[in-house]
Amino acid sequence: MTAILERSFKVLEHLAGHPEGRALSALSAELEMPLSATHRLLSELVRCGYVRQDQSHGDYILTIKLVSLGLSFLSNSGIVDIAQPLLDRLAAASGELVRLAVVDGDELTFVAKAQGATRGLRYDPDMGLSVNLSCSSAGHAWLSTMTDEQALQLVARQGFGQPEDFGPKAPTTVKALLAYLRAARKRGFSMISEVFSPAMTAMAAPVRNSGSSSGAVIGVITIAGPMVRLSEERMLALGPDLLVAAEDLARASGASAHFKKRA
């Protein structure tokens, strides 16, 4: 049963990255699963309403049911309701993309955003993605709240991101990563340039649960944009606004059922 569940989720996650759909043979090859087993899993997912088969090409495509579940959870948790006004305000002040990632076990996942760029280049990556901890401003901000040992354990489980997959300055060694984390601890927020993506910069601050005696981190607020606009000087100038937004969200977190459970 465990193997079946694991394979089912692998199929769903893979299809999430291919909104145009994938053929049975392609899914089998890409997931390294037997063709017959892949077909059985897809048939069950179709029966349950999470996947449909395109009648013209035969490709398998995710239905909106999975998205609906996620949106329903976010709506009932109150996360977006309390965060959106704060994200909108920070986006207007920065003129760049502002996002909120929440802590979910050993991962960070983006759940809300506000776009502050009104013209020119707009940085707007996919939402709902799990954050790569070693080469993202969100990851660095969260890791900076831990001891070096705790941070490295999380990164070891996920693995270092490689420059060919992210930005040319993505850290690939413990020494390089720790330098970013120590700088983030010193200033109170993280800053990266061409780490997550070429020609892009970002900054992030942790959000702590104000109702928790330990001040546990419940999320991270990020600002990201092209380095021609969001320079190091500009990021340092935006630092106080970012920290205020993180503090305001921390104070408001008690209104969210999701964040209350982390108190």
Side-chain angles (χ1 to χ4, degrees), residues 21 30 35 39 42 52 75-76 100 110-111 113 156-157 170 191 195 214-215 223 232 235 244 255-256:
E30 290 160 3
L35 196 65
H39 184 261
L42 287 168
R52 65 179 175 84
S75 176
N76 292 329
L100 169 67
F110 285 116
V111 299
K113 68 178 179 179
R157 289 176 203 158
M191 285 173 41
V195 169
S214 62
I223 304 175
E232 180 178 348
M235 286 193 285
V244 167
S256 164

Side-chain angles (χ1 to χ4, degrees), residues 66-81:
L66 199 61
V67 177
S68 179
L69 281 175
L71 292 176
S72 177
F73 168 75
L74 287 178
S75 176
N76 292 329
S77 71
I79 295 173
V80 177
D81 289 341

Side-chain angles (χ1 to χ4, degrees), residues 182-198:
R182 286 163 186 163
R185 291 187 190 115
K186 186 175 181 179
R187 70 171 78 92
F189 57 91
S190 65
M191 285 173 41
I192 61 172
S193 177
E194 294 197 297
V195 169
F196 181 75
S197 182

Side-chain angles (χ1 to χ4, degrees), residues 79-95:
I79 295 173
V80 177
D81 289 341
I82 66 170
Q84 198 61 57
L86 300 173
L87 301 182
D88 291 341
R89 184 183 70 191
L90 186 57
S94 65

